[in-house]
């Protein structure tokens, strides 16, 4: 009892808090608090409790039902969890929320099993578009089709009725455009590939309709009228609901600045029910980044600006990931690196010195090596994004001595995906304190062809979660939504089994991890990656009251049963934002 009251007083910060009753008490639960998932852990909070008390969006007490109910006041709401399993809310460390919502509002090609099915969906949607309007959408994945052949502009021309049309692949790294869209973009046989991008052409030199990576895809995309305010809001609302339904209480997101402004508007009108850390583009001029950073409170627990996102390369599925050696199934192709190392180092150093957290998309082993090289350079001048500036000699180009209290891990630089590494780079992740922000559910989609792309030797170091942990690298898990569904249970299953969803294929099982390690990566690891580990990822006094109630204890069921897990209730800020009852 004394411990519970002390926690309440400490959390509120004033002595009178001992006389304040919790607003809500959740009882009769089987609550995994998040403490002691990874040892050593000095927390006094038990690993399992049955009750949680909440005041002002913050957990003020945990313990047995009897202990916590002693704090109940006349206005305290008591929520009976009926013995269900409860755990900290999932924190998806990598999403594209606006893209996910827009995909659902346009031609949603997620899961199409053939070119014919793709074209049928496009044809049906095109009949609803006014004359001259664009037909857009995304989510297709040709590796799921019997032919595994990329679509062409001619395929689209047959079903788009003269409308300009373009559709992104599920990974967002290539798109297929019809003839009208190519014409609008000024793409012809004479068009030269932009740096870091590629326009596919047939034997006669005529564009096929496939454009690869942002520099080339952007030639088409910039011709599309931007979504209206109403559509932008609806897209975000659709994606947020999808997250909450699947037990995700926080996302770390890569959407446009206009989407960020819409999220701000939603917060100001009490319509934002999901915690969001929004990234900014690394290539944005430094003065613009600085002005945007101060435009919103950095300590806002619901919505804040986070890291700077840069793309080192593309994706394995599109064969645009940058590899140190050629693709095993495409012997003339090394992928598409997006930066020269010298320029990347210079930009990274400038932004790190200004106190920005850096997060680099890197899929291939060459891309990961480039990112680590840039982080090595940037760490000489970096200021932690949540800390004080380092002392430096104004006459020196770089810091020559690092304060003993500043460690590389304090900077929390991140590599997004980190799918394929050179063997020596696991130790570089550790020594540079780099977070591996990975999406285990990618393996469910990729394992049917990843071995063919990489060959047997490189495959040993692909999707290598066990090796990361063995090298003491912090893992932060997510989904890359909508590239993969936002359900965290697919990720947990992939992490602990390394099997496809049917259970018929396994990819290097020596790289699987335990369920507790996977949960840690999906909660506390993700919170660490956004400088929120002292407020998120645990259910104990002083932490934000974000939790999820499930229909099974995912730490105890057979691994294959994790896939069928259903969310019964999602709680954000101590309030139920989704419930099946």
């Amino acid at each position: 009892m004394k411990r519970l009251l002390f926690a309440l007083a400490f959390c509120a910060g004033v002595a009178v808090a001992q006389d304040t009753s919790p607003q809500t008490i959740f009882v009769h639960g089987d609550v995994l608090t998040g403490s002691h998932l990874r040892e050593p852990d000095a927390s006094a909070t038990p690993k399992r409790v049955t009750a949680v008390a909440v005041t002002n969006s913050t957990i003020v007490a945990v313990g047995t039902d009897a202990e916590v109910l002693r704090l109940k006041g006349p206005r305290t709401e008591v929520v009976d969890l009926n013995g269900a399993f409860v755990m900290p809310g999932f924190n998806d460390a990598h999403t594209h929320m606006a893209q996910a919502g827009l995909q659902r509002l346009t031609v949603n090609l997620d899961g199409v099993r053939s070119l014919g099915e793709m074209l049928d969906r496009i044809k049906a949607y095109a009949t609803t578009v006014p004359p001259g309007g664009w037909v857009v959408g995304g989510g297709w994945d040709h590796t799921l089709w019997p032919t595994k052949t990329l679509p062409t502009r001619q395929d689209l021309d047959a079903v788009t009725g003269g409308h300009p049309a373009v559709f992104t692949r599920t990974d967002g790294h290539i798109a297929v455009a019809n003839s009208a869209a190519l014409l609008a973009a000024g793409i012809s046989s004479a068009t030269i590939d932009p740096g870091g991008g590629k326009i596919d052409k047939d034997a006669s030199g005529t564009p096929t309709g496939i454009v690869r990576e942002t520099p080339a895809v952007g030639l088409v995309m910039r011709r599309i009228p931007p979504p209206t305010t109403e559509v932008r809001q609806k897209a975000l609302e659709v994606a947020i609901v999808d997250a909450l339904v699947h037990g995700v209480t926080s996302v770390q997101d890569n959407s446009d600045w206009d989407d960020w402004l819409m999220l701000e508007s939603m917060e100001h009108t009490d319509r934002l029910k999901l915690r969001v850390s929004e990234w900014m583009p690394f290539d944005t001029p430094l003065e613009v980044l600085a002005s945007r950073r101060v435009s919103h409170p950095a300590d806002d627990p619901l919505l804040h600006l986070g890291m700077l996102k840069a793309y080192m390369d593309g994706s394995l599925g599109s064969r645009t990931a940058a590899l140190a050696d050629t693709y095993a199934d495409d012997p003339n192709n090394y992928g598409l690196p997006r930066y020269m190392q010298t320029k990347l180092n210079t930009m990274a150093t400038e932004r790190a010195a200004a106190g920005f957290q850096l997060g680099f998309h890197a899929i291939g082993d060459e891309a990961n090596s480039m990112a680590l090289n840039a982080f090595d350079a940037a760490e000489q001048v970096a200021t932690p994004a949540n800390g004080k500036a380092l002392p430096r000699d104004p006459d020196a180009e770089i810091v020559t001595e690092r304060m003993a209290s500043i460690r590389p891990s304090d900077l929390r630089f991140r590599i997004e995906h980190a799918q394929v590494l050179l063997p020596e780079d696991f130790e570089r992740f550790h020594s540079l304190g780099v977070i591996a922000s990975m999406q285990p559910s990618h393996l469910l989609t990729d394992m049917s062809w990843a071995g063919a792309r990489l060959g047997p030797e490189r495959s040993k170091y692909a999707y290598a979660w066990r090796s990361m942990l063995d090298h003491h690298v912090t893992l932060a898990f997510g989904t890359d939504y909508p590239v993969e569904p936002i359900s965290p249970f697919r990720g947990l299953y992939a992490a602990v089994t390394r099997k496809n969803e049917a259970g018929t294929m396994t990819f290097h099982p020596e790289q699987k991890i335990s369920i507790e390690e996977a949960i840690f990566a999906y909660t506390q690891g993700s919170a660490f990656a956004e400088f929120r580990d002292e407020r998120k990822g645990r259910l104990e006094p002083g932490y934000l009251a974000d939790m999820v109630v499930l229909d099974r204890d995912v730490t105890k069921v057979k691994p294959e049963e994790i896939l069928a897990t259903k969310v019964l209730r999602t709680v954000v800020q101590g309030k139920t934002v989704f419930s099946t009852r």
Side-chain angles (χ1 to χ4, degrees):
M1 180 64 176
K2 290 180 179 179
R3 178 173 63 84
L4 291 169
L5 290 176
F6 174 76
L8 182 59
F10 176 80
C11 182
V14 290
V16 294
Q18 294 188 25
D19 301 321
T20 302
S21 302
Q23 293 170 338
T24 309
I25 294 177
F26 296 87
V27 296
H28 302 152
D30 179 10
V31 183
L32 183 74
T33 63
S35 67
H36 303 283
L37 280 179
R38 186 176 70 178
E39 300 296 353
D41 188 334
S43 174
T45 301
K47 190 172 184 177
R48 298 262 179 167
V49 298
T50 61
V52 179
V54 177
T55 293
N56 295 329
S57 306
T58 301
I59 295 170
V60 295
V62 298
T64 66
D65 291 349
E67 288 173 330
V68 177
L69 283 171
R70 292 186 193 126
L71 304 176
K72 179 178 176 293
R75 287 183 289 274
T76 300
E77 177 190 12
V78 177
V79 178
D80 191 339
L81 298 171
N82 297 304
F85 176 73
V86 184
M87 61 172 283
F90 290 97
N91 185 338
D92 193 312
H94 190 119
T95 67
H96 304 266
M97 298 296 283
Q99 178 188 339
L102 287 171
Q103 183 173 304
R104 291 188 171 213
L105 298 179
T106 54
V107 186
N108 186 0
L109 300 172
D110 184 40
V112 296
R113 308 301 295 187
S114 67
L115 174 62
E117 184 181 353
M118 173 180 174
L119 297 179
D120 286 343
R121 292 193 191 184
I122 293 170
K123 183 176 182 178
Y125 187 91
T127 62
T128 69
V129 177
W134 281 72
V135 181
V136 298
W140 59 272
D141 181 357
H142 66 293
T143 68
L144 301 176
W145 304 347
T147 62
K148 305 189 186 311
T149 302
L150 290 168
T152 67
R153 62 181 176 86
Q154 293 93 340
D155 294 328
L156 301 187
D157 290 345
V159 296
T160 47
H163 294 282
V166 61
F167 307 94
T168 54
R169 189 180 180 274
T170 183
D171 57 13
H173 289 275
I174 65 175
V176 59
N178 71 357
S179 297
L182 295 175
L183 180 63
I187 295 175
S188 68
S189 57
T191 305
I192 299 173
D193 289 340
K198 186 175 184 294
I199 300 166
D200 284 14
K201 296 176 181 177
D202 60 23
S204 68
T206 303
T208 66
I210 293 292
V211 283
R212 299 176 186 265
E213 296 305 322
T214 300
V217 175
L219 297 175
V220 180
M221 294 302 182
R222 69 173 60 109
R223 300 294 178 180
I224 303 172
T228 64
T229 299
E230 292 76 19
V231 169
R232 197 179 296 276
Q233 176 179 318
K234 180 63 175 176
L236 288 168
E237 290 173 344
V238 166
I240 288 170
V241 168
D242 198 21
L244 297 175
V245 166
H246 287 96
V248 176
T249 57
S250 292
V251 297
Q252 299 168 45
D253 184 55
N254 187 32
S255 296
D256 293 339
W257 184 251
D258 286 338
D259 299 309
W260 159 261
L261 296 177
M262 178 56 67
L263 289 168
E264 276 195 318
S265 175
M266 294 171 68
E267 181 188 30
H268 295 157
T269 54
D270 198 30
R271 290 177 293 127
L272 184 60
K273 308 302 181 185
L274 178 74
R275 298 193 195 277
V276 181
S277 174
E278 191 62 51
W279 303 338
M280 294 186 286
F282 175 82
D283 288 345
T284 303
L286 192 55
E287 61 272 17
V288 176
L289 292 171
S291 66
R292 288 180 173 178
R293 176 170 57 182
V294 299
S295 70
H296 192 95
D299 59 355
D300 183 343
L302 188 62
L303 180 67
H304 69 277
L305 291 165
M307 73 179 198
L308 304 185
K309 170 77 177 292
Y311 288 87
M312 300 297 99
D313 63 348
S315 73
L316 278 178
S318 299
R319 292 190 182 88
T320 55
L323 298 177
D325 199 357
T326 59
Y327 280 78
D329 59 356
D330 190 359
N332 295 315
N333 181 14
Y334 288 85
L336 289 173
R338 297 278 290 273
Y339 287 91
M340 298 296 291
Q341 187 75 64
T342 302
K343 180 180 179 181
L344 178 65
N345 290 2
T346 298
M347 295 179 68
T349 299
E350 291 172 345
R351 284 151 178 76
F356 286 101
Q357 182 189 19
L358 306 181
F360 290 173
H361 163 117
I363 299 285
D365 51 12
E366 178 67 15
N368 277 279
S369 184
M370 287 177 59
L372 292 170
N373 291 342
F375 289 160
D376 195 6
E379 285 184 358
Q380 306 306 310
V381 299
T383 298
N386 70 337
K388 297 180 180 179
L390 301 178
R392 54 175 57 88
D393 180 351
D395 297 323
E397 292 184 2
I398 64 171
V399 176
T400 55
E401 292 186 10
R402 185 186 301 275
M403 289 178 62
S405 61
I406 299 295
R407 302 165 299 170
S409 59
D410 294 329
L411 303 171
R412 305 194 193 185
F413 292 164
R414 305 166 48 158
I415 291 183
E416 304 300 309
H417 309 307
Q419 281 187 3
V420 188
L421 264 63
L422 298 171
E424 61 268 24
D425 280 345
F426 290 99
E427 180 54 36
R428 293 182 72 200
F429 261 82
H430 169 63
S431 64
L432 294 171
V434 177
I435 297 163
S437 175
M438 303 179 77
Q439 301 74 42
S441 55
H442 276 322
L443 184 58
L444 301 179
T445 301
D446 298 357
M447 73 170 68
S448 64
W449 47 258
R453 296 278 196 280
L454 298 172
E457 186 61 26
R458 278 185 301 205
S459 293
K460 297 176 184 177
Y461 311 108
Y463 314 86
W465 314 310
R466 179 78 269 149
S467 291
M468 288 292 191
L469 291 181
D470 287 348
H471 284 83
H472 308 289
V473 176
T474 296
L475 285 179
F477 276 173
T479 59
D480 204 8
Y481 177 62
V483 177
E484 299 291 343
I486 203 165
S487 168
F489 308 111
R490 297 177 75 247
L492 294 180
Y493 168 80
V496 303
T497 67
R498 309 270 303 182
K499 293 182 178 181
N500 63 3
E501 288 167 280
T504 58
M505 182 181 296
T506 303
F507 189 90
H508 287 276
E510 71 274 11
Q511 291 290 349
K512 65 186 178 181
I513 62 177
S514 73
I515 185 63
E516 292 193 348
E517 289 169 329
I519 289 174
F520 188 97
Y522 235 129
T523 53
Q524 296 176 58
S526 294
F528 180 84
E530 60 160 332
F531 290 97
R532 291 295 190 269
D533 48 304
E534 295 182 356
R535 297 299 310 281
K536 289 184 183 181
R538 292 177 179 243
L539 302 180
E540 60 179 301
Y543 279 71
L544 296 170
D546 301 343
M547 51 191 172
V548 58
V549 184
L550 307 179
D551 70 344
R552 67 199 68 193
D553 183 341
V554 293
T555 71
K556 295 179 179 179
V557 299
K558 295 178 180 178
E560 58 269 21
E561 294 178 18
I562 296 173
L563 284 170
T565 303
K566 302 298 182 186
V567 175
L568 304 178
R569 182 191 297 265
T570 304
V571 177
V572 179
Q573 302 190 94
K575 300 176 182 178
T576 297
V577 292
F578 167 77
S579 176
T580 58
R581 299 192 176 111

